[in-house]
Amino acid sequence: MATTVPLSEPVERRRLRVRGVVQGVGFRPFVHRLAQQLELTGSVHNDGRGVTIEVEGPAERLDRLQRALHLEAPPGARIEAIETAVLPPLADGSPFRILDSRAGAVTTTVPVDRAPCPDCLNELFEPRDRRWHHPFINCTRCGPRYTITRRLPYDRPQTSMAAFALCTACTDEYHDPSNRRFHAQPNACPACGPRLQLLDGAGCVQTGDPVAGALTRLRQGEIVALKGVGGFHLLCDAQNGAAVARLRQRKQRDAKPLAVLAANPASLTKLTTVEPAALALLQGDERPIVLLPKRAGCDTRLPGVAPGLSRLGVLLPPSPLHWLLFHEAAGRPAGSGWIDSPQPLLLVCTSANPGGEPLVTDNSEALTRLHGLADAFLLHDRAIVVGCDDSVVLPTAGGATFVRRARGFTPLAIRLAGPGPAVLAFGASLKNSLCLSRGDQAFLSQHIGDLDNAATCRAHETAAAHLERLLDTAPAALACDAHPDYFSSRLAERLAAERGVPLLRVQHHHAHIGAVAAEHRLDGPLLGVALDGVGLGSDGTPWGGELLHVEGARCDRLGHLRPFPLPGGERAAREPRRSALGLLFAALGRAAEQPARRWFTAQELAVLFDALERKVNCPSTSSMGRLFDAVAAIAGLPPSISFEGQAAMTLEFAADPAEPGAYPMP
């Protein structure tokens, strides 16, 4: 209850500009309720800079409001700064209002996608609620944001929800300050929201409940393509070895691990170890894939899902539609009491794309590109504006290490040490993502992938344009890897020439150290160690194990791993046996022939030794990645691999002291 204040208490009016993640998280309704509780007058609105509040009342209450903005902000909000200005009082006595958004130069941050909140789950599973089993339930705390947003300010007309006119009931909620859907932009219900359909492999619409039909197909061993938040997932029964093998064969994914979708942590107790840090990541609103240590028997229970590796990638339901599959499998219990109980259903959940291509996001695209890969399609008509894959994280004592930064985290800004001109960086060739700086913030795009096919290259160019449009920022310069033949480098070169802006070419490992320095706001000379696969060195050879002295744009190589030759050049990245032969040749010369006989025929060895001795197509490398590959092959692990990092991951698994047959190594 508000406290009665004497009329003689002086009145002030302040303008508060709030910057950060403050759009799409229920911030304006939060401010509205707060102002009403404190009996303040004024208004709040979105604009290109974030949220602007003009508020009037006794100074003590205004101070309380400002403190509450920091201490009581909605869960999804991230306040970076509040700029305060004093205005002349109006004393008009009008109630506090939410105003329409205003245009202007965009300096705010884009909201991220968030998993269903507990309140929405309670409604989703309550048969008496009008949103029972509504696959698109959301509120100001949860739901899609980045993946449906075309531009800022974040308002319904700027999103793919603009195609769905609110019904009377949803309109009333949207305008009711006491409702948690007050100004929730993706708000909808079964009467006015997107529609769900189940199609068979030929694209024919199936009758009956789409979720129930999809679950039946999954239980029969079929592969279902489900349209999620940032793109399509391919699902199959994780405990059905034949279904998993069929998915691998169709997707041309021979050995790369697959992720598992589970209803809750209780369903994982026989499969993985879930420490508190991992539990927080699993249950977080971002819903990443979390890499968890396997328990004994995990590979038996989940045949073919992640063989030969020490960890299993697991995620919990990231959207209401994923939740409904588990609810259907549980027999549609009333209420949400069941969601913490162990559920037998476990699903492989992997990105829906033919091998190496970008994530499928469009319905018609899915029916074409996934034809023959999926047996059925669980679709809806809410457009995905920008594709965004699942994030992948490794739990650590400090929180998490990103293996892939995407849905739930993109495009949250990383604060830099200080402001600078806007620069769009195009990344390297493998595991590509983009970065656009604006002022003292760096905005990372979603994970795009390896730029080794035309479709991913097109996605890379589209993502660059979307990032510029979304942030309303024209770069003053472009940056790329120093390797001249990467698609990302050639695109940056072309765009720089077209726009007449400078192009900055950055050595690969200098960029790695610079990125870490920027993330930790280090501004000054430093020593850095860069350990990775391969990047073009300033001497024209492939580097990858470097000690660098970095001072801004200057980088000096102080040391590196001892180089060894790679017979066949880039072929060694797919054949650890070639790295092993090069390493042994550097150490033993011709004496390397005897141990190498287990990998090559006599004829192959004759050709390879001739190339090594004449230094033909055998570049020397200081790569840590190729060193891991070589040691893996020498240790007796597979001489060829099907995805980058496989040899090192297999070596890690083999070296685990908990594995049978392991021996102590001081």
Side-chain angles (χ1 to χ4, degrees):
M1 296 293 292
T3 305
T4 302
V5 178
L7 295 176
S8 59
E9 186 171 346
V11 170
E12 290 185 11
R13 187 174 186 85
R14 298 176 190 173
R15 177 188 291 129
L16 310 176
R17 296 192 184 277
V18 188
R19 295 194 291 114
V21 183
V22 290
Q23 294 188 13
V25 294
F27 200 84
R28 288 178 301 168
F30 157 69
V31 172
H32 183 273
R33 288 191 291 270
L34 194 60
Q36 283 193 323
Q37 291 169 7
L38 294 171
E39 296 184 353
L40 301 171
T41 64
S43 64
V44 59
H45 66 264
N46 281 347
D47 55 33
R49 306 170 96 182
V51 169
T52 297
I53 307 166
E54 290 193 6
V55 61
E56 184 171 321
E60 184 270 337
R61 293 189 189 178
L62 298 182
D63 293 339
R64 285 164 59 187
L65 180 136
Q66 287 192 236
R67 287 194 299 270
L69 292 181
H70 285 287
L71 300 176
E72 303 173 21
R78 181 189 290 184
I79 295 177
E80 294 168 356
I82 299 179
E83 302 166 3
T84 306
V86 178
L87 304 175
L90 296 179
D92 60 0
S94 61
F96 195 90
R97 297 171 294 158
I98 293 181
L99 303 180
D100 292 338
S101 296
R102 299 179 185 177
V106 174
T107 59
T108 189
T109 300
V110 186
V112 298
D113 304 298
R114 303 176 72 83
C117 68
D119 288 336
C120 282
L121 289 180
N122 288 336
E123 294 175 349
L124 185 65
F125 304 130
E126 174 49 61
R128 294 168 296 182
D129 194 279
R130 72 188 190 92
R131 287 190 176 86
W132 179 77
H133 262 226
H134 179 52
F136 312 99
I137 193 169
N138 67 86
C139 67
T140 51
R141 178 179 169 181
C142 67
R145 298 291 191 271
Y146 174 62
T147 52
I148 64 170
T149 302
R150 293 191 170 91
R151 59 186 62 84
L152 291 175
Y154 173 72
D155 283 311
R156 193 180 183 96
Q158 312 272 47
T159 74
S160 58
M161 287 300 294
F164 304 94
L166 290 171
C167 66
T168 301
C170 287
T171 300
D172 290 343
E173 291 174 333
Y174 184 87
H175 293 291
D176 179 2
S178 66
N179 194 289
R180 77 175 196 283
R181 293 189 173 91
F182 184 42
H183 281 249
Q185 305 307 330
N187 190 27
C189 73
C192 65
R195 296 287 188 270
L196 201 62
Q197 282 187 323
L198 179 66
L199 282 62
D200 65 14
C204 298
V205 178
Q206 304 297 288
T207 59
D209 183 273
V211 174
L215 179 64
T216 297
R217 288 174 175 270
L218 289 167
R219 284 173 164 168
Q220 291 172 347
E222 293 189 11
I223 298 166
V224 175
L226 177 148
K227 189 176 185 181
V229 176
F232 279 78
H233 281 138
L234 290 174
L235 307 178
C236 74
D237 184 350
Q239 299 170 91
N240 183 332
V244 175
R246 190 159 50 251
L247 174 59
R248 286 193 175 280
Q249 183 271 325
R250 292 181 183 179
K251 198 178 176 184
Q252 301 175 34
R253 186 168 176 160
D254 295 338
K256 198 171 184 178
L258 299 166
V260 170
L261 176 68
N264 50 45
S267 304
L268 302 169
T269 53
K270 295 181 180 179
L271 301 171
T272 64
T273 301
V274 186
E275 300 292 342
L279 182 63
L281 291 169
L282 269 177
Q283 296 180 321
D285 292 336
E286 299 85 1
R287 284 297 193 275
I289 295 172
V290 183
L291 301 177
L292 302 176
K294 291 179 180 176
R295 289 189 183 274
C298 178
D299 287 344
T300 302
R301 294 174 182 272
L302 304 176
V305 172
L309 301 177
S310 57
R311 291 179 179 267
L312 178 70
V314 177
L315 77 158
L316 302 187
S319 80
L321 183 53
H322 292 84
W323 267 114
L324 288 178
L325 286 171
F326 288 100
H327 189 235
E328 190 71 29
R332 295 193 177 192
S336 55
W338 65 278
I339 63 176
D340 293 323
S341 302
Q343 302 299 318
L345 180 66
L346 297 168
L347 299 172
V348 164
C349 184
T350 186
S351 304
N353 56 334
E357 294 187 8
L359 186 65
V360 174
T361 59
D362 179 74
N363 290 354
S364 58
E365 178 192 18
L367 295 174
T368 302
R369 288 179 59 198
L370 302 180
H371 178 72
L373 205 165
D375 299 305
F377 299 85
L378 191 54
L379 308 176
H380 58 76
D381 54 355
R382 183 181 69 201
I384 297 172
V385 173
V386 56
C388 199
D389 220 327
D390 299 310
S391 295
V392 182
V393 299
L394 180 68
T396 64
T401 295
F402 281 103
V403 177
R404 183 169 72 199
R405 190 179 190 270
R407 181 183 50 74
F409 299 95
T410 299
L412 287 177
I414 295 173
R415 180 70 64 181
L416 304 177
V423 178
L424 177 59
F426 284 76
S429 185
L430 299 179
K431 304 179 180 67
N432 181 274
S433 59
L434 298 138
C435 182
L436 178 58
S437 66
R438 188 184 67 190
D440 61 351
Q441 296 176 309
F443 296 86
L444 286 171
S445 77
Q446 67 277 18
H447 165 83
I448 295 168
D450 296 347
L451 302 179
D452 56 4
N453 62 78
T456 308
C457 291
R458 285 194 297 270
H460 176 265
E461 190 166 2
T462 299
H466 179 74
L467 200 58
E468 289 186 61
R469 182 173 64 252
L470 195 64
L471 298 174
D472 194 23
T473 299
L478 306 182
C480 68
D481 193 279
H483 198 303
D485 294 330
Y486 287 165
F487 171 82
S488 52
S489 300
R490 295 198 300 271
L491 175 62
E493 185 176 4
R494 173 170 65 82
L495 293 178
E498 290 175 358
R499 300 177 182 187
V501 299
L503 176 63
L504 312 174
R505 299 183 186 273
V506 185
Q507 194 278 323
H508 191 89
H509 301 94
H510 183 186
H512 278 311
I513 301 302
V516 175
E519 182 180 0
H520 294 276
R521 304 184 202 174
L522 303 178
D523 187 14
L526 54 89
L527 296 178
V529 179
L531 306 173
D532 73 344
V534 163
L536 181 66
S538 56
D539 61 358
T541 66
W543 292 2
E546 314 304 318
L547 173 62
L548 304 178
H549 175 254
V550 173
E551 186 169 2
R554 179 174 177 176
C555 177
D556 297 309
R557 190 189 196 197
L558 303 184
H560 53 83
L561 297 180
R562 182 181 300 172
F564 63 92
L566 293 177
E570 290 187 3
R571 283 191 65 179
R574 293 289 184 183
E575 299 180 37
R577 60 179 184 163
R578 290 177 178 265
S579 294
L581 176 61
L583 185 65
L584 291 174
F585 180 81
L588 305 174
R590 269 283 180 176
E593 181 175 356
Q594 182 174 353
R597 288 173 183 165
R598 58 178 156 156
W599 305 314
F600 302 98
T601 66
Q603 184 178 3
E604 288 173 329
L605 281 176
V607 173
L608 289 169
F609 272 112
D610 181 62
L612 284 164
E613 289 170 344
R614 295 196 297 124
K615 299 182 180 179
V616 176
N617 195 24
C618 294
S620 289
T621 185
S622 55
S623 165
M624 176 64 86
R626 298 295 82 81
L627 178 60
F628 271 123
D629 290 350
V631 172
I634 292 170
L637 298 175
S640 298
I641 59 175
S642 61
F643 66 92
E644 194 204 13
Q646 182 181 356
M649 293 166 69
T650 307
L651 184 65
E652 180 185 37
F653 176 68
D656 188 339
E659 288 302 307
Y663 56 90
M665 182 183 292

